[in-house]
Amino acid sequence: MLHSFDEMPDSSRMWIYQADRPFTTDELLQIDQEARNFVNSWAAHGQGLKAAFKVEHNQFIVLAVDETYHPASGCSIDDSVGFIRNLEQKLGVALLNRSNVALYKGGVVEIRPLKEIKSSIEAGEIDRETLVFNGFINNLKDFRNSWTQPAEDSWMSKYFV
């Protein structure tokens, strides 16, 4: 059951899918329609889930479930991953690649391979204040409060010595 993302409680469980490139205007329209259809029919053990979705920075798809209403199950989570895989195929975009890191520099999302982060810091391309998107957030409270953080406050801090 589709609900407004902004009205979902802080305790809602969530998943963030990061694209390897920005979505086009047409793709955003397609994502909106397909995500509405998916979320409206998303269920766990036959019980509709109180859920929401949002596209952030034209590059992240965020799904949320209010588990105080009904918890997501393994099968329902598998269904959401299937939905995302389907979008990957239709749009020709990678959404499940966890080996990329998203940075926010100058108002633009920048994707870098994880294996290049240390050398990018050493080269001065990423500094202590560079904002990093935390893809491991799993509830809306953390998403709302600390989805982005300066590199020096993130897992990258070990490279700033």
Side-chain angles (χ1 to χ4, degrees):
M1 300 175 295
L2 179 62
H3 288 267
S4 166
F5 195 90
D6 294 333
E7 294 175 7
M8 297 290 284
D10 281 347
S11 62
S12 296
R13 188 172 177 188
M14 58 166 299
W15 298 266
I16 303 168
Y17 298 97
Q18 168 185 300
D20 59 350
R21 62 166 175 77
F23 300 119
T24 67
T25 302
D26 288 343
E27 289 171 337
L28 288 168
L29 293 171
Q30 184 175 355
I31 291 166
D32 183 72
Q33 186 58 53
E34 293 196 26
R36 284 178 184 280
N37 292 340
F38 172 74
V39 170
N40 269 322
S41 64
W42 198 9
H45 304 291
Q47 177 73 37
L49 295 173
K50 183 178 178 183
F53 78 93
K54 186 177 205 176
V55 176
E56 288 282 340
H57 300 287
N58 291 342
Q59 203 154 344
F60 301 88
I61 298 173
V62 183
L63 297 174
V65 172
D66 179 355
E67 292 196 305
T68 62
Y69 177 78
H70 189 76
S73 65
C75 291
S76 66
I77 294 168
D78 288 348
D79 289 344
S80 69
V81 173
F83 162 70
I84 294 297
R85 281 194 176 122
N86 188 35
L87 280 177
E88 281 185 316
Q89 291 175 353
K90 287 181 178 180
L91 304 177
V93 64
L95 291 163
L96 295 166
N97 182 354
R98 295 289 187 189
S99 66
N100 286 331
V101 176
L103 308 169
Y104 198 58
K105 295 175 70 177
V108 176
V109 176
E110 185 178 305
I111 303 296
R112 297 226 179 183
L114 180 61
K115 65 184 180 183
E116 294 177 11
I117 294 301
K118 183 178 179 185
S119 62
S120 294
I121 290 171
E122 290 169 350
E125 297 166 358
I126 299 172
D127 62 32
R128 294 176 181 274
E129 290 79 36
T130 300
L131 292 178
V132 179
F133 289 93
N134 182 353
F136 299 103
I137 286 176
N138 59 16
N139 67 61
L140 275 181
K141 180 180 181 183
D142 290 343
F143 176 76
R144 290 173 173 144
N145 297 321
S146 59
W147 183 33
T148 59
Q149 55 191 177
E152 71 180 340
D153 295 334
S154 76
W155 60 270
M156 291 182 195
S157 64
K158 63 186 173 189
Y159 299 124
F160 296 105
V161 287

